[in-house]
Amino acid sequence: MAGSNSTQDSQFSLHLSNARNIPYSPDDKRVIFSDLHMGNGTRRDDFSENSELFYSALSEYYLPRGYDLILNGDVEEFHKFTWRQIFHAWKQIYALFDVFARDGKLIKTVGNHDARLIMDLRDHHPYTVDTVIRMTGLDYPLLIYHGHQVSALYERFNDISRIGVRYFAMPLGIMNYSVAHDSQKRHFIEKRIYEYSRRERIVSVIGHTHRPLFESLTKAETLRFRIEYLLVRYRNASHGQKVKIEEEIRRHRAELVEWRSRKRRPDLQSGIYEEDDVPVPCMFNSGTVIGKRGMTCLELTRGRIRLMHWFDDRFHKEHTDHDNRRQRTLPGGHIHRLELRQATLEYVMDSLRLLS
Ligand SMILES: [Mn+2]
């Protein structure tokens, strides 16, 4: 990231000398959450709304099943709140983190909103904080990092004035500046991380943009690719297969139409790879805990990576679907865990070998 006047120099690379190595084993169970933005517990605190959902998922699902908990950055919101305020407001959550930490099952990385944890607050934090986790023992390394490392590059090349907003407006709470609400910046970040991961043959698991990504793709992109793939298979399929493929195409098509019809923020720059190329599944994003429709996370279990959506049907009614096989409900009956996508790590590694 050496300073340069040339915009062609805007390549991204991570400093891996300080990465912490964690061996991969198919028997391990790990869950990755990012972007909690924990604050003081008031209405100004973005974490408040989904805090119960988060607490229930950890205490009733992941903890009893022996998962490692990976918190991948922006856990605390120090741009608006003090350490004392955050810790006081969320004692119960920290008590739960303590339980994971006691068994050596808590892994925490740093983001841009909690960067003070590796700076002035270094001695006041009870947990080890890393910048990059490198999972070893797979064909190619799987790196877990927040992803803000690209932001500095963006500021440098595109909009130097933003730095003023970041460092002067934020601490006073004048504006709620966040990368998640800036689609141009989000696109820049995803594209740089995608290109870096593909070039270096690594799998990047990030957060930061608050947008869940699976196999480097958004949901609409995945559905489109799957429909195209099924259309190719359709022609040479047997009669029995054709009926099944037809059904599948119709279902995906309906899902795509439904997904598009929802009133979403326009996101025209969603493609992060060259359109005439096959996307490589080298980038995954856990999304965020503070989503309006619940929270998303990535699970690494039994040789698979899965994108999960957690929601509480008392607040996020639109998603309730009791007939869905991919949905599990916690004993209280209100909190649901829905599998959005899944792939084997072998598939991910093979793709990296053959496509990058
Ligand atoms: Mn961030």
Side-chain angles (χ1 to χ4, degrees):
M1 282 203 265
S4 163
N5 293 326
S6 162
T7 47
Q8 288 174 336
D9 199 27
S10 64
Q11 276 200 347
F12 163 69
S13 71
L14 275 179
H15 298 287
L16 292 174
S17 51
N18 295 323
R20 177 169 154 207
N21 287 334
I22 294 182
Y24 167 78
S25 157
D27 300 328
D28 291 331
K29 292 188 211 167
R30 290 174 174 142
V31 62
I32 304 166
F33 285 99
S34 68
D35 301 274
L36 285 67
H37 294 272
M38 288 160 71
N40 64 355
T42 67
R43 281 166 147 249
R44 286 181 62 225
D45 180 348
D46 292 332
F47 178 67
S48 296
E49 205 158 303
N50 290 344
S51 59
E52 268 186 58
L53 174 66
F54 181 70
Y55 185 84
S56 300
L58 289 195
S59 61
E60 295 172 42
Y61 191 88
Y62 293 114
L63 186 65
R65 283 170 178 77
Y67 274 75
D68 290 348
L69 173 62
I70 302 179
L71 299 171
N72 194 20
D74 284 1
V75 175
E76 288 89 3
E77 178 50 88
F78 290 126
H79 286 187
K80 292 195 227 166
F81 308 103
T82 64
W83 169 247
R84 195 186 291 268
Q85 286 176 313
I86 298 168
F87 194 76
H88 182 77
W90 301 112
K91 277 194 185 116
Q92 266 198 310
I93 302 279
Y94 282 104
L96 205 46
F97 290 168
D98 286 344
V99 179
F100 282 96
R102 217 162 32 227
D103 298 334
K105 287 174 172 291
L106 180 73
I107 293 165
K108 205 165 181 277
T109 69
V110 75
N112 47 323
H113 289 253
D114 53 10
R116 289 180 61 193
L117 296 178
I118 55 167
M119 295 154 84
D120 59 316
L121 290 176
R122 191 191 293 257
D123 301 328
H124 299 275
H125 198 52
Y127 317 116
T128 308
V129 180
D130 286 285
T131 52
V132 184
I133 301 293
R134 176 168 42 206
M135 217 169 268
T136 58
L138 292 153
D139 293 355
Y140 301 103
L142 186 148
L143 303 184
I144 302 169
Y145 56 102
H146 183 63
H148 64 294
Q149 290 86 344
V150 188
S151 293
L153 202 62
Y154 182 83
E155 314 293 3
R156 182 166 301 163
F157 285 100
N158 291 279
D159 196 351
I160 232 68
S161 66
R162 250 180 241 284
I163 291 170
V165 174
R166 278 266 288 282
Y167 289 97
F168 299 113
M170 274 309 296
L172 302 171
I174 291 170
M175 62 183 289
N176 194 357
Y177 176 79
S178 163
V179 64
H181 303 295
D182 183 335
S183 83
Q184 197 187 353
K185 184 169 180 180
R186 188 168 64 180
H187 180 247
F188 177 92
I189 288 163
E190 289 169 349
K191 195 168 172 64
R192 286 305 176 284
I193 291 178
Y194 176 77
E195 284 167 357
Y196 163 72
S197 307
R198 182 179 178 147
R199 188 173 70 237
E200 301 294 324
R201 285 196 173 178
I202 54 150
V203 176
S204 286
V205 175
I206 58 167
H208 188 50
T209 67
H210 292 206
R211 174 160 85 154
L213 285 173
F214 196 80
E215 297 179 359
S216 315
L217 302 171
T218 63
K219 183 166 182 178
E221 286 164 343
T222 309
L223 289 168
R224 253 197 325 264
F225 277 107
R226 226 171 257 176
I227 290 166
E228 282 168 19
Y229 167 75
L230 288 167
L231 280 168
V232 171
R233 273 185 52 201
Y234 183 78
R235 180 143 297 262
N236 296 317
S238 68
H239 180 72
Q241 285 172 326
K242 273 189 173 164
V243 175
K244 278 185 187 156
I245 292 173
E246 266 181 57
E247 273 172 22
E248 211 171 327
I249 289 174
R250 291 224 170 82
R251 211 177 52 236
H252 288 332
R253 179 94 182 97
E255 213 176 322
L256 187 61
V257 169
E258 201 268 335
W259 193 87
R260 285 242 173 89
S261 69
R262 285 188 211 155
K263 294 278 170 279
R264 279 164 186 276
R265 259 194 321 273
D267 192 16
L268 301 170
Q269 299 176 307
S270 63
I272 42 175
Y273 43 84
E274 298 302 320
E275 270 174 31
D276 56 354
D277 207 349
V278 182
V280 181
C282 56
M283 178 169 63
F284 296 80
N285 191 320
S286 50
T288 180
V289 168
I290 58 170
K292 285 277 166 278
R293 294 150 55 214
M295 62 181 185
T296 51
C297 63
L298 289 163
E299 292 179 7
L300 290 167
T301 53
R302 284 176 290 173
R304 282 171 194 272
I305 183 163
R306 300 166 201 269
L307 178 64
M308 293 295 176
H309 179 212
W310 283 89
F311 61 97
D312 185 325
D313 64 22
R314 289 167 293 187
F315 310 116
H316 314 108
K317 285 186 171 55
E318 57 183 312
H319 290 280
T320 315
D321 175 8
H322 293 289
D323 301 326
N324 196 326
R325 280 186 301 115
R326 295 172 302 156
Q327 185 172 301
R328 294 184 70 162
T329 302
L330 291 185
H334 291 293
I335 293 177
H336 312 279
R337 168 183 164 276
L338 176 66
E339 180 191 281
L340 298 178
R341 317 272 286 283
Q342 60 97 13
T344 67
L345 286 170
E346 283 165 352
Y347 163 84
V348 171
M349 296 298 155
D350 287 346
S351 305
L352 217 57
R353 177 182 305 110
L354 298 169
L355 299 175
S356 65

